Amino acid sequence: MNKHICIICGYIYDGNLPFSELPPDYACPICGVAKNKFEVVSHEHKEPFLKINYGLYVITSSSGGKDNGCVIDALMQLTDNPPVVAFSINKVNKTHEMLVESKKFCISVLTEDAPRELFRVFSAKSGKDIEKFEEFPETERGPNGLLYIRKYSNARLSGTIFDMIDAGTHTLFRGEVTDSEIFNNKDTLTYSAYRKDVKYRQMFCFQCQQTAKGTGCAMIGVCGKKPETAYAQDILTCEMINLAAAMRATAKGGETAGAAAGVSTDKASGVSTDGASGVSTDGASGVSTDGASADTWYGAVDLIVDGLFTTITNVNFDNEKINALTGEIKAKRARYGGGEVIYQEELFRGDENLVSLRSTLLFGLRGMAAYAHHARILGKRDSEVDAWFIKGMSELGTVHTIGEWLELLMEFGGVNLKCMALLDGANTAAFGDPVPARVALKVEKGPFIVVTGHDLHDLKMLLEQTDGKGVDVYTHGEMLPAHGYPELKKHPQLMGNFGTAWQNQQSEFKDIPAPVLFTTNCLMPPGKSYGDKAYTTSVVGYPGMKHIAAGADGRKDFSALIEHAMQLGGFPEDRQFTGVNGGESVTVGYGRKTVLDSAPDIIGAVKAGAIRHFFLVGGCDGAQPGRGYYTDFVKQAPKDTVILTLACGRYRFNDLDIGAIGPFPRILDMGQCNDAYGAIQVAVALAEAFGCGVNDLPLTLVLSWYEQKAVCILLTLLSLGIKNIYIGPSIPAFFSEAVLNALVEKFDLRPITTAEQDLATILG
Ligand code: SF4
């Protein structure tokens, strides 16, 4: 018989592969415990046995100066007078050994808010292997000297064992309760409630467009995120909220935005610069901390920004790094003296509308953090943006009405516009204003490196280090707009673009004869043929992948990557690749300045009737069906319309030749997602030129979303009062029905339908 049952949650493995041949790291797909927590379904009554309901308890004991405990379900009150209980424990348990030796026990009666972490420590692990109370320190010591778990219990029963009955694999203990205490009136956690609710204990994530069943990833992330990683990210998020709340409550010595030393405002650009702390170095977490300002208010802000960036979809799958960052943030909170204002199990639970609004703000903040991080790396920061990270994160730990949450979201949208402006200024100051450039999709023979993600500073450092080395550099996915920046283009080894959008990386990188550098998202779990060629840097992480950290001066040493490229040697002959529609090149570089410099011609073309309408067709690309809409939309858009585009959604159509209107190609690629700022500037300038509001322009936004940067951009657009935005390929799962209805009513937010229908509606 191949059936095996998870003794924690009751999941039955009945797969074709014999259980013994499952890999050693096989984990229960429901509750995540290890393979050794499965038992053979040895008799026909095993499954009916699961129908018996029990309470769940942690029983603790101690001997030889050590404490231990485990979760039990087999506990009953035998008599009321004297107060005697009976419980059964497997003889292999360390706790069993201690109970036999000490004859003392303490029972914590668990409540329904007991977190998954408690079960991970007290159920899935053995006291023979770990110090359980070091891994789960939230305990107190009772009157008989034993530890118990007050925080997740409604009562404690302490006592002494007076009888032990051999029950084969188990021992049945009888003990008298000598002391007890009630903590609260919460319901006792039952085995059936635990099993029903285990998906929430396991993981819950609904932050991106590809979330499972359009509602939430509950067993494992569609992105490849494992429950342990989701849990680590939740804990990190809670710790960031706790830190922000502590910082907001305690303005130590005037340590607030704008008051810390080293920050000056660049009035011309409206951007703040922090020369002293604009460099990030990798701390214990392998994520950036700022050596210069690590113990200042700004150092704490930077930790929160990097923590938020770390939790964006497809950024970091490395639990050790996430936990190390959590540790840094926890230590930082100690400096501010704050307590815990939110717990992991509360993060995505509660009234569905309030969870929806709180999650929307959290995901928006995650998106904005990516932009703030990139700007900081280039030496730019803005005190208002920094302060809002603290405000926004601390608000996540407080109670608000729906109206208050909506106000916060609109306020956040305005701040995110500032953050995008900050990054726009940082990029153009460092790399020049983008100019139109034709980008080949051909890879020339010889050694090369592929760079993906959004971090232009990393690319710049790599280009400087590959100058004259005979190693070419190709962009992939999010990095495509780099070809428009003069300071990057001037390196002749920046050759072209390899492949298409992020979701195709597993097939495009298969057997690639070159290393790949992931500077930010979107990182997918790598295939075997290229996992050892993949490098991460900055906040990106994946277990086992090589990570290139910054030195104390912020510089990264890419010599191992360059050496690796030389060893792999690249393709023996030139290889012509194509875009998704068969095109052999794409055009980029129609940034804000290029478009605005041509404003008189554009306005003239509109007035002359040569341009009837503008569509901004942009946003993220993704793997899920339905995104063909955007290709269809661009193909079917009439010839007197212009397509502005930005971000990875462009890959659906950027290799199409759909002609030109006068000197302008009909597809104008404005850059990456943060260049939505540039698109807004263009829209505002056109509205001024035509003497109307942005909503009155012949302009429609047709957006595709995937991850959290799209969330912050959407909130910015809404905060500007921009209406009639078409959004797809699906509505965010974290918008409750009521929240979606409110947005539709106020902003005429529209889910996409079909290209034909939407074009007909827009153009009339
Ligand atoms: Fe699921 Fe997206 Fe969360 Fe990954 S990031 S677990 S795919 S909702």
Side-chain angles (χ1 to χ4, degrees):
M1 180 182 280
N2 192 37
K3 273 190 184 179
H4 281 65
I5 188 164
C6 171
I7 57 171
I8 305 301
C9 71
Y11 166 76
I12 303 229
Y13 174 80
D14 192 18
N16 292 332
L17 194 66
F19 191 80
S20 59
E21 290 178 25
L22 290 172
D25 62 351
Y26 174 81
C28 173
I30 302 294
C31 70
V33 299
K35 198 177 170 186
N36 63 3
K37 291 290 169 185
F38 278 74
E39 284 177 355
V40 175
V41 178
S42 52
H43 60 78
E44 63 195 293
H45 313 301
K46 196 96 181 179
E47 289 178 62
F49 272 20
L50 284 172
K51 301 295 177 200
I52 302 172
N53 206 359
Y54 312 87
L56 287 173
Y57 317 89
V58 170
I59 187 160
T60 44
S61 192
S62 91
S63 74
K66 289 203 155 196
D67 297 291
N68 197 40
C70 64
V71 173
I72 59 166
D73 53 14
L75 167 77
M76 65 182 289
Q77 175 194 327
L78 272 188
T79 57
D80 190 44
N81 191 11
V84 171
V85 292
F87 47 87
S88 159
I89 298 197
N90 195 309
K91 289 175 183 171
V92 301
N93 284 349
K94 179 78 181 164
T95 311
H96 179 279
E97 194 181 303
M98 289 182 166
L99 288 165
V100 169
E101 279 173 24
S102 72
K103 308 278 190 301
K104 288 197 296 183
F105 67 88
C106 184
I107 293 163
S108 303
V109 182
L110 295 177
T111 49
E112 291 187 342
D113 56 355
R116 181 173 175 273
E117 177 67 0
L118 184 149
F119 294 92
R120 187 185 70 77
V121 173
F122 290 100
S123 193
K125 295 198 169 185
S126 168
K128 292 172 185 168
D129 304 323
I130 62 160
E131 290 296 334
K132 293 190 178 183
F133 293 103
E134 280 178 17
E135 296 210 11
F136 197 90
E138 297 170 281
T139 50
E140 296 179 28
R141 216 166 266 287
N144 66 349
L146 298 182
L147 291 171
Y148 66 96
I149 301 166
R150 177 185 284 260
K151 187 169 168 186
Y152 301 110
S153 303
N154 54 22
R156 166 186 62 76
L157 304 168
S158 304
T160 359
I161 292 164
F162 61 85
D163 189 21
M164 294 180 276
I165 301 163
D166 189 340
T169 55
H170 288 59
T171 298
L172 181 65
F173 294 89
R174 285 200 297 153
E176 181 165 356
V177 175
T178 52
D179 189 88
S180 67
E181 192 180 356
I182 292 266
F183 306 140
N184 55 59
N185 288 324
K186 290 182 192 171
D187 286 339
T188 298
L189 176 63
T190 63
Y191 194 55
S192 63
Y194 173 77
R195 290 187 64 204
K196 259 190 224 146
D197 201 27
V198 76
K199 65 180 182 178
Y200 289 105
R201 288 169 205 292
Q202 181 57 21
M203 70 178 281
F204 183 71
C205 183
F206 61 168
Q207 69 172 351
C208 83
Q209 188 272 327
Q210 68 180 359
T211 193
K213 298 179 187 161
T215 55
C217 293
M219 292 187 185
I220 191 161
V222 175
C223 61
K225 183 158 81 180
K226 291 188 174 153
E228 289 72 21
T229 309
Y231 180 78
Q233 290 184 348
D234 286 354
I235 296 290
L236 171 60
T237 301
C238 291
E239 281 303 335
M240 290 189 288
I241 294 170
N242 293 337
L243 172 58
M247 289 170 73
R248 206 165 169 210
T250 317
K252 280 200 169 186
E255 285 180 13
T256 55
V263 177
S264 61
T265 302
D266 175 348
K267 294 213 167 58
S269 63
V271 163
S272 299
T273 57
D274 179 355
S277 64
V279 175
S280 80
T281 60
D282 285 12
S285 60
V287 180
S288 69
T289 59
D290 182 337
S293 62
D295 202 30
T296 66
W297 190 91
Y298 280 99
V301 172
D302 293 349
L303 272 179
I304 289 176
V305 165
D306 290 349
L308 285 165
F309 195 178
T310 297
T311 56
I312 285 179
T313 303
N314 294 100
V315 169
N316 200 312
F317 297 81
D318 190 328
N319 299 349
E320 268 184 37
K321 284 192 177 150
I322 296 167
N323 291 335
L325 184 55
T326 302
E328 282 184 58
I329 288 170
K330 217 170 178 172
K332 185 71 74 179
R333 174 159 60 89
R335 182 177 187 272
Y336 289 90
E340 291 173 319
V341 297
I342 192 165
Y343 298 110
Q344 181 264 342
E345 56 273 18
E346 298 168 338
L347 202 51
F348 300 114
R349 299 183 81 178
D351 175 90
E352 73 163 338
N353 295 321
L354 296 179
V355 169
S356 170
L357 291 159
R358 190 172 62 206
S359 303
T360 304
L361 181 58
L362 170 63
F363 302 153
L365 282 160
R366 286 178 177 175
M368 184 167 83
Y371 299 145
H373 172 99
H374 290 307
R376 186 184 85 223
I377 297 297
L378 292 170
K380 305 283 184 187
R381 66 187 315 149
D382 182 291
S383 54
E384 190 184 343
V385 172
D386 285 337
W388 222 92
F389 276 114
I390 303 310
K391 174 176 178 173
M393 289 302 284
S394 64
E395 295 291 1
L396 295 174
T398 55
V399 177
H400 292 293
T401 63
I402 289 179
E404 287 166 347
W405 278 118
L406 286 168
E407 265 178 42
L408 273 169
L409 289 172
M410 292 304 104
E411 189 182 323
F412 165 77
V415 174
N416 183 55
L417 181 67
K418 291 207 165 92
C419 192
M420 288 197 293
L422 182 73
L423 181 53
D424 179 281
N427 281 339
T428 50
F431 310 118
D433 280 299
V435 292
R438 197 92 186 135
V439 182
L441 302 181
K442 183 166 87 175
V443 177
E444 297 194 3
K445 67 180 179 185
F448 69 100
I449 294 169
V450 172
V451 187
T452 186
H454 306 73
D455 199 314
L456 300 176
H457 184 56
D458 282 337
L459 176 61
K460 176 70 175 163
M461 283 191 282
L462 179 65
L463 289 169
E464 285 168 352
Q465 292 176 43
T466 48
D467 276 339
K469 294 260 170 64
V471 173
D472 293 334
V473 176
Y474 290 85
T475 56
H476 183 273
E478 300 83 358
M479 196 55 91
L480 173 61
H483 295 276
Y485 287 96
E487 282 302 306
L488 301 172
K489 267 163 65 90
K490 74 180 187 187
H491 296 271
Q493 73 274 26
L494 180 60
M495 297 293 284
N497 192 64
F498 177 90
T500 53
W502 68 269
Q503 75 276 5
N504 302 321
Q505 66 189 252
Q506 287 169 329
S507 57
E508 291 176 348
F509 295 160
K510 187 167 185 287
D511 297 321
I512 187 172
V516 182
L517 175 65
F518 289 87
T519 65
T520 67
N521 55 317
C522 291
L523 166 67
M524 298 173 80
K528 277 197 184 124
S529 77
Y530 71 89
D532 61 346
K533 300 171 196 160
Y535 291 71
T536 59
T537 188
S538 187
V539 295
V540 192
Y542 196 89
M545 251 182 215
K546 299 173 204 83
H547 187 82
I548 297 174
D553 59 356
R555 186 178 178 278
K556 294 180 183 175
D557 178 0
F558 291 114
S559 52
L561 180 72
I562 296 166
E563 182 62 29
H564 201 167
M566 288 173 168
Q567 280 167 14
L568 291 168
F571 293 115
E573 300 298 335
D574 293 356
R575 288 270 187 106
Q576 179 66 59
F577 295 92
T578 68
V580 298
N581 301 289
E584 296 185 349
S585 65
V586 295
T587 301
V588 299
Y590 283 90
R592 154 177 70 82
K593 184 166 185 309
T594 299
V595 175
L596 288 178
D597 285 351
S598 306
D601 295 335
I602 293 172
I603 292 163
V606 173
K607 287 187 173 162
I611 298 177
R612 177 167 39 144
H613 204 91
F614 296 91
F615 296 107
L616 176 65
V617 186
C620 320
D621 205 352
Q624 289 211 317
R627 289 181 182 266
Y629 166 93
Y630 298 95
T631 316
D632 296 342
F633 192 98
V634 170
K635 279 183 177 171
Q636 293 173 26
K639 291 201 180 319
D640 56 357
T641 60
V642 170
I643 312 292
L644 303 168
T645 190
L646 45 84
C648 292
R650 65 160 72 83
Y651 281 105
R652 294 278 163 175
F653 49 79
N654 66 347
D655 62 328
L656 287 172
D657 181 3
I658 61 167
I661 297 177
F664 308 108
R666 281 190 54 226
I667 297 176
L668 300 176
D669 188 330
M670 299 195 73
Q672 205 42 42
C673 49
N674 63 292
D675 293 311
Y677 169 75
I680 291 166
Q681 298 305 103
V682 167
V684 169
L686 287 177
E688 272 174 23
F690 286 108
C692 64
V694 170
N695 286 322
D696 304 316
L697 283 172
L699 167 70
T700 306
L701 276 57
V702 184
L703 305 183
S704 52
W705 83 283
Y706 170 65
E707 43 92 319
Q708 296 73 57
K709 280 174 265 178
V711 180
C712 67
I713 293 169
L714 179 65
L715 291 172
T716 292
L717 295 171
L718 298 181
S719 75
L720 290 168
I722 295 176
K723 294 189 169 182
N724 280 316
I725 298 172
Y726 285 70
I727 184 166
S730 59
I731 293 297
F734 52 83
F735 283 173
S736 69
E737 204 179 324
V739 168
L740 177 62
N741 288 342
L743 296 178
V744 168
E745 198 176 309
K746 186 158 183 205
F747 299 105
D748 293 329
L749 195 66
R750 294 164 186 258
I752 60 168
T753 60
T754 63
E756 296 85 349
Q757 190 174 321
D758 289 347
L759 276 166
T761 307
I762 295 165
L763 297 174

